Amino acid sequence: MNLMERYIAGTVLRATLLTLLTVLGLLVFFEFIDAMEDVGQGDFGLLTAIIIAASAAPRFAFDVLPVAALLGSLLGLGSLASHGELGAMRAAGMSLRGIVLAVIKAGILLLAGVFVIGDVLTPAAEQYAQRLKADTLSEQVSLTSQYGVWARDGLGFINVRRIAPGGRLEDVYIYDMSSIGELQLATHAASAEYVDQEWTLRGVRESQLSENHVLARTAPETRRAALIDPVLIEVSVMEPAMLPIWELRQYIDYLQENGQSSTAYEVEFWNKVFTPFSILVMLFLAVPVVLGSLRSVSIGQRIFVGAFIGAGFHLLTRGLSYVALVYQVEPALATGLPLVVFAAGGVFLLWRLR
């Protein structure tokens, strides 16, 4: 980048980061207020609420970065336009295309941060917060490993290999021990659901062990009052945001191979794919908006216009995501359509400006 491009890109980046930090502060504060509702339950204390709220910051940053990029570019470019710097640059020979390229180059610098936030920091922070919440709220001692969730129930042990969306347990192993630590009953259930204050196990196979023999039996369905704390399941459900993009793809394939709905995970997958492009589109859109109508308006008016456009983009994206979930619309189409609409709007405004 030449000197003028670096100056424009630096101004846009600084304004974007400042906007992002401001928005993040508000969102983390609201998350802290929400977490305070659990203070006093089990071992959940004030420090836990603070940690859980802070752990949500990467997820919030990933979600609002396109809007922060729009607001930041409007403020940065608007400031340059208000002080006559953009006009001076154009008089010195910098074309409209050069300004657009400088802003896009600033967006390219943000893409590395988007990857780190979306596929490294967010999954790690969300999984840590989930584990911390489970440990402090649940009355059962539990452990998460590559073989699923392990928990202790009295003298027995439970191993849940997979927790499906909605809290349904899949591939459940139950080991009932004697008072002297000997295995008495080994049970495997294909699935388990918590209904009417008890667990319903389906596809059950049991092996009763004694000194001389093993008695095996099967049952299509059994009920068990105690199994695993529902609170532990509630905070251990695997949310799409907890997975990096490559694990999302693997989990989608797993769900499809087993005949289960994968729409929610596909929506999150395509959201992760399109978010970097959304940032570039928002930055591109700011150029014709500033040069066309916000050249000499106040900072407050720029914030209002940016918030209005950003809210429209966010609401359209979320709305079409819900449409994909409810009406089984192709997730790639639903999540990519807002990007196309706003990119087309930016091209149209730039064409009018020329």
Side-chain angles (χ1 to χ4, degrees):
M1 291 190 288
N2 59 39
L3 181 61
M4 287 190 289
E5 286 181 337
R6 288 199 300 271
Y7 185 69
I8 292 174
T11 301
V12 169
L13 285 174
R14 285 193 296 271
T16 297
L17 293 177
L18 180 61
T19 303
L20 180 62
L21 290 175
T22 302
V23 175
L24 276 184
L26 291 172
L27 293 175
V28 169
F29 174 74
F30 292 139
E31 183 73 10
F32 171 71
I33 296 300
D34 186 58
M36 286 293 291
E37 296 180 1
D38 293 323
V39 172
Q41 300 182 34
D43 296 327
F44 197 102
L46 180 61
L47 179 60
T48 306
I50 293 173
I51 294 174
I52 287 178
S55 299
R59 169 167 51 90
F60 290 144
F62 186 80
D63 289 340
V64 304
L65 197 48
V67 178
L70 174 63
L71 284 168
S73 56
L74 287 177
L75 292 174
L77 292 175
S79 175
L80 294 178
S82 298
H83 292 88
E85 293 174 277
L86 284 183
M89 290 178 187
R90 298 195 69 179
M94 190 173 195
S95 65
L96 181 60
R97 176 175 174 272
I99 296 174
V100 172
L101 287 177
V103 173
I104 294 300
K105 287 175 182 178
I108 292 174
L109 293 176
L110 288 173
L111 296 188
V114 172
F115 172 78
V116 172
I117 292 172
D119 291 313
V120 179
L121 295 181
T122 297
E126 289 291 303
Q127 291 173 19
Y128 174 77
Q130 181 194 55
R131 183 74 264 143
L132 178 62
K133 191 172 182 179
D135 290 341
T136 53
L137 288 179
S138 175
E139 296 179 357
Q140 285 183 316
V141 178
S142 63
L143 169 70
T144 301
S145 71
Q146 61 178 323
Y147 302 106
V149 177
W150 288 83
R152 183 166 184 168
D153 177 33
L155 296 176
F157 298 90
I158 301 102
N159 173 218
V160 180
R161 295 297 176 92
R162 188 175 298 277
I163 302 176
R168 188 179 74 253
L169 312 184
E170 297 179 348
D171 205 7
V172 182
Y173 293 85
I174 306 168
Y175 304 99
D176 292 308
M177 315 294 289
S178 69
S179 58
I180 58 174
E182 294 180 341
L183 180 62
Q184 290 184 322
L185 179 65
T187 304
H188 175 265
S191 65
E193 291 183 274
Y194 192 68
V195 181
D196 296 332
Q197 307 298 313
E198 63 180 359
W199 287 95
T200 299
L201 281 64
R202 297 183 176 88
V204 179
R205 291 185 288 109
E206 294 182 339
S207 297
Q208 181 79 47
L209 284 72
S210 65
E211 292 183 0
N212 301 319
H213 64 280
V214 176
L215 176 62
R217 53 182 178 266
T218 61
E221 181 177 300
T222 62
R223 295 181 182 274
R224 187 173 175 130
L227 182 63
I228 192 168
D229 190 345
V231 173
L232 180 61
I233 299 303
E234 181 182 344
V235 297
S236 298
V237 174
M238 185 182 298
E239 298 293 341
M242 296 179 184
L243 301 174
I245 192 168
W246 54 87
E247 290 187 15
L248 266 174
R249 185 69 262 173
Q250 294 173 357
Y251 194 58
I252 289 168
D253 293 339
Y254 167 82
L255 292 174
Q256 291 176 343
E257 289 171 2
N258 289 272
Q260 300 180 41
S261 175
S262 62
T263 306
Y265 294 88
E266 290 184 72
V267 168
E268 184 65 27
F269 172 82
W270 287 109
N271 179 53
K272 285 180 178 285
V273 170
F274 288 133
T275 292
F277 299 101
S278 301
I279 293 170
L280 296 180
V281 168
M282 292 294 103
L283 290 171
F284 166 72
L285 184 61
V287 176
V289 171
V290 168
L291 295 182
S293 59
L294 299 185
R295 187 178 305 168
S296 58
V297 302
S298 67
I299 292 178
Q301 289 174 300
R302 293 190 195 110
I303 293 176
F304 175 78
V305 172
F308 181 79
I309 296 174
F313 178 79
H314 185 76
L315 290 175
L316 182 60
T317 302
R318 289 300 178 191
L320 290 177
S321 297
Y322 292 134
V323 168
L325 291 172
V326 175
Y327 297 103
Q328 300 301 306
V329 176
E330 174 59 38
L333 175 64
T335 53
L337 184 59
L339 191 65
V340 175
V341 170
F342 278 77
V347 171
F348 175 73
L349 292 175
L350 195 64
W351 174 79
R352 288 192 61 184
L353 188 63
R354 293 173 67 89

